[in-house]
Amino acid sequence: MTVSSAIRSLVKYAQKNGLIDALDETYAINGILGVLNLDSIDDDEVFENAELEELLKVLLDYACEKGICNESVVYRDLLDTKIMGVLTPRPSEVINKFNALYNESPEKATDYYYHLSIKSDYVREYRIKNDIKWVTPTEYGDIDITINLSKPEKDPKAIAAALLMKQSSYPKCLLCPQNEGYAGRVNHPARQNHRIIPVDLNGESWCLQYSPYVYYNEHSIVFNSKHVPMKITEDGFRRLFAFVKKFPHYFVGSNADLPIVGGSVLTHDHFQGGNYTFAMTKAPIETEVQFKDYPDIEAGIVKWPMSVLRLRGDDADEICTLSGKILAKWREYTDEDAFVFAYTGDVPHNTITPIARFRDGKYEMDLVLRNNITTEQYPDGVYHPHPEHHHIKKENIGLIEVMGLAVLPARLKDEMKLIEEAIINGDDISKNEKIAKHKDWVDEIVKNNVITTENCEKVIRDEIGKVFADILKQCGVFDRTDEGKKQFLKFIDNVNN
């Protein structure tokens, strides 16, 4: 395919997917010519069914050949985003269309916006398709496992260039609204094709966007328009339900606000939501409880590996008031027998991961109790993946994983294949440095399973799923035992007193 064909086909793609109008065709072609330092275009064939990835590859290969772009995924991403920015509607157009559709229904508005985010290549769908996904049945339900391959690995040249760059505080972080339309740099992604929807949450200015990495359907990020740090508060609970009331087909939740048990971005207040039902959502209440002065709220301990309280009722404000009371009690709660300590000196340890939704005609709030205390035995965190599971995952357990979707490191893709080959061939795993860390785990797998060439991959996947379920148990502040249940109920008694 020629460069002229690729440009014409890309403009046709943009028309077909509602990014531009037919009246914009000449303007769009000239915009792309300018990005590629071209001053003319041939009347070459238009490939109407060509894939976006294929069209961009032709243009990026040309740019690299002509010295316009370095041959590196980082630089290629900067350039293809600039190209797609030419074809992405202005923010005002997107907002006005979203609002018009919202007046018909919230679902129509988010359907349009999600479609735009994909077709503008802000969500790189062709990369996300490379993610490895499966489901592992557990006693807590079917848990989702994902090996994330959609985040590109930076090459050494790009890393070196980033180190030499002058540090910039604009935008202040990846969530700030100033990213919209930003050209990017080696150490900050381009966002010319990024569009943000303003959302009012109880009189405060917030924003809606989709995650470029989409771990689940319509994976959205709701963030404060100001660069302010994460803080779990009763007002925050009310903002969650304010969002749910605007978009009742979406759940929304927040990472905790302390290191170790929080997310990767603690410096900018934000939530995550979307149109997806996680295993934790499906998990039933296994022990009903009652909170004094709140007779209309159904409450109970959820059958889940972590320590989760579910509140359910018709009145979202009342649920938020009770949630605020539970949060305040938990912040100060210490039970030495349960190894729950509110403070070490002046350092706080207790917080909550909240999730709000509207389901079956009622409002629900799941409050996941978190604690980030460390010890000499567990320097990364007592309620954190323990060292025996670090060969699978050692990163923090954030909101998405709390709900039952494991986001595992990309290295596991190759390691799983090597493990499978070693098991089938009877090789000594300890002699392969790439997978030696898995040896004890693999020995147990071999001992406890009848493994064949046909079932080996499935056995390994299921065992990874079991490891993740056990990690979630390790992150639960109250053990999944009779004694742990008594300790959980003791905390609830504390709330009622």
Side-chain angles (χ1 to χ4, degrees):
M1 188 187 300
T2 66
V3 171
S4 292
S5 278
I7 293 172
R8 292 189 182 279
S9 301
L10 184 57
V11 170
K12 187 62 68 177
Y13 162 92
Q15 289 179 44
K16 182 178 173 182
N17 287 287
L19 301 179
I20 63 171
D21 189 270
L23 297 173
D24 301 320
E25 183 175 325
T26 299
Y27 178 87
I29 287 172
N30 287 335
I32 297 172
L33 290 177
V35 172
L36 296 174
N37 295 342
L38 290 167
D39 54 18
S40 65
I41 186 170
D42 296 328
D43 193 19
D44 289 357
E45 182 181 357
V46 173
F47 295 90
E48 296 213 16
N49 296 317
E51 295 290 335
L52 177 59
E53 183 180 19
E54 177 189 2
L55 297 174
L56 290 174
K57 183 179 184 304
V58 172
L59 301 183
L60 293 173
D61 287 348
Y62 167 81
C64 290
E65 180 187 326
K66 297 298 182 182
I68 300 167
C69 176
N70 290 339
E71 187 58 78
S72 153
V73 67
V74 173
Y75 292 100
R76 288 172 74 97
D77 281 2
L78 288 170
L79 183 61
D80 70 10
T81 304
K82 187 175 184 179
I83 292 169
M84 292 307 297
V86 173
L87 303 172
T88 305
R90 292 282 182 98
S92 58
E93 294 177 55
V94 175
I95 293 166
N96 290 337
K97 184 163 185 179
F98 181 93
N99 289 338
L101 290 169
Y102 184 89
N103 289 332
E104 297 180 36
S105 80
E107 290 93 337
K108 282 188 178 180
T110 55
D111 284 350
Y112 155 72
Y113 183 42
Y114 193 53
H115 172 85
L116 174 81
S117 298
I118 291 171
K119 297 307 178 183
S120 66
D121 207 34
Y122 175 69
V123 174
R124 294 176 185 265
E125 192 175 36
Y126 47 85
R127 282 188 185 160
I128 291 161
K129 286 177 181 176
N130 294 326
D131 290 350
I132 299 171
K133 300 181 180 182
W134 70 90
V135 172
T136 297
T138 73
E139 63 178 296
Y140 309 104
D142 292 342
I143 287 179
D144 295 305
I145 311 293
T146 299
I147 297 176
N148 181 258
L149 303 172
S150 54
K151 284 188 180 180
E153 296 287 334
K154 290 186 178 179
D155 62 88
K157 287 183 180 178
I159 292 170
L163 290 172
L164 294 173
M165 282 193 70
K166 180 182 177 183
Q167 291 301 304
S168 171
S169 59
Y170 184 88
K172 288 182 179 177
C173 77
L174 290 171
L175 290 181
C176 284
Q178 289 74 24
N179 281 279
E180 187 176 44
Y182 187 61
R185 50 187 191 265
V186 179
N187 59 356
H188 193 105
R191 290 290 185 253
Q192 289 104 322
N193 57 350
H194 179 35
R195 299 294 178 263
I196 292 168
I197 303 296
V199 180
D200 180 283
L201 297 183
N202 293 338
E204 292 187 5
S205 174
W206 283 61
C207 307
L208 170 66
Q209 68 172 66
Y210 288 105
S211 166
Y213 305 113
V214 187
Y215 292 135
Y216 51 84
N217 186 47
E218 296 175 49
H219 178 180
S220 51
I221 301 174
V222 187
F223 57 99
N224 198 315
S225 64
K226 298 177 182 177
H227 184 76
V228 294
M230 297 280 291
K231 187 66 177 174
I232 301 297
T233 63
E234 184 178 323
D235 284 345
F237 298 151
R238 296 187 188 283
R239 283 191 286 270
L240 291 176
F241 274 129
F243 182 84
V244 167
K245 287 177 181 179
K246 287 179 181 290
F247 302 97
H249 58 302
Y250 276 11
F251 82 90
V252 66
S254 175
N255 268 304
D257 54 358
L258 294 179
I260 297 176
V261 295
S264 57
V265 180
L266 293 175
T267 57
H268 195 129
D269 200 8
H270 70 285
F271 309 142
Q272 294 184 75
N275 191 2
Y276 191 71
T277 303
F278 290 85
M280 192 178 82
T281 308
K282 300 174 189 175
I285 287 177
E286 64 178 358
T287 304
E288 293 184 0
V289 300
Q290 291 221 324
F291 287 98
K292 190 172 66 175
D293 302 327
Y294 298 91
D296 296 330
I297 295 180
E298 305 165 32
I301 297 170
V302 178
K303 184 182 178 183
W304 192 244
M306 296 183 71
S307 304
V308 186
L309 269 174
R310 178 168 296 159
L311 310 179
R312 179 174 163 80
D314 297 317
D315 189 337
D317 287 337
E318 189 177 36
I319 292 173
C320 289
T321 300
L322 176 54
S323 297
K325 182 178 181 180
I326 292 168
L327 172 66
K329 289 284 189 176
W330 179 245
R331 291 277 195 201
E332 303 298 322
Y333 188 72
T334 290
D335 180 348
E336 293 186 13
D337 293 335
F339 205 80
V340 172
F341 296 89
Y343 296 93
T344 301
D346 295 329
V347 178
H349 295 306
N350 290 347
T351 184
I352 281 176
T353 300
I355 302 101
R357 65 183 76 90
F358 184 73
R359 185 165 63 138
D360 299 332
K362 289 185 182 290
Y363 294 102
E364 280 186 0
M365 178 78 84
D366 284 349
L367 302 173
V368 188
L369 306 181
R370 311 298 301 273
N371 179 288
N372 75 345
I373 195 167
T374 61
T375 64
E376 190 174 329
Q377 183 182 2
Y378 297 113
D380 296 321
V382 173
Y383 304 108
H384 179 84
H386 288 182
E388 68 268 22
H389 293 325
H390 286 184
H391 64 105
I392 298 295
K393 181 175 178 68
K394 62 181 178 181
E395 298 81 11
N396 294 354
I397 299 300
L399 170 69
I400 295 170
E401 292 171 312
V402 162
M403 294 185 291
L405 192 159
V407 182
L408 302 180
R411 62 175 171 80
L412 282 176
K413 176 190 174 184
D414 293 335
E415 290 174 12
M416 284 170 62
K417 196 68 183 170
L418 292 171
I419 289 168
E420 184 180 344
E421 291 171 359
I423 290 173
I424 290 169
N425 296 330
D427 296 338
D428 184 353
I429 282 175
S430 65
K431 293 183 177 172
N432 185 333
E433 63 178 17
K434 290 183 179 178
I435 55 173
K437 58 181 172 288
H438 297 290
K439 179 175 171 28
D440 292 344
W441 175 65
V442 171
D443 286 347
E444 285 296 309
I445 293 174
V446 172
K447 185 172 77 174
N448 297 323
N449 293 274
V450 177
I451 298 179
T452 65
T453 304
E454 290 73 25
N455 75 357
C456 191
E457 180 183 65
K458 183 179 185 306
V459 169
I460 292 169
R461 288 187 173 197
D462 284 347
E463 293 296 328
I464 288 174
K466 290 175 186 176
V467 168
F468 179 67
D470 197 54
I471 285 173
L472 292 183
K473 283 175 69 176
Q474 292 173 348
C475 295
V477 292
F478 297 117
D479 289 340
R480 293 283 307 169
T481 61
D482 290 342
E483 183 62 25
K485 180 63 67 66
K486 287 178 185 176
Q487 292 165 344
F488 203 155
L489 292 171
K490 180 181 173 184
F491 166 66
I492 292 168
D493 287 341
N494 180 270
V495 176
N496 278 323
N497 292 331

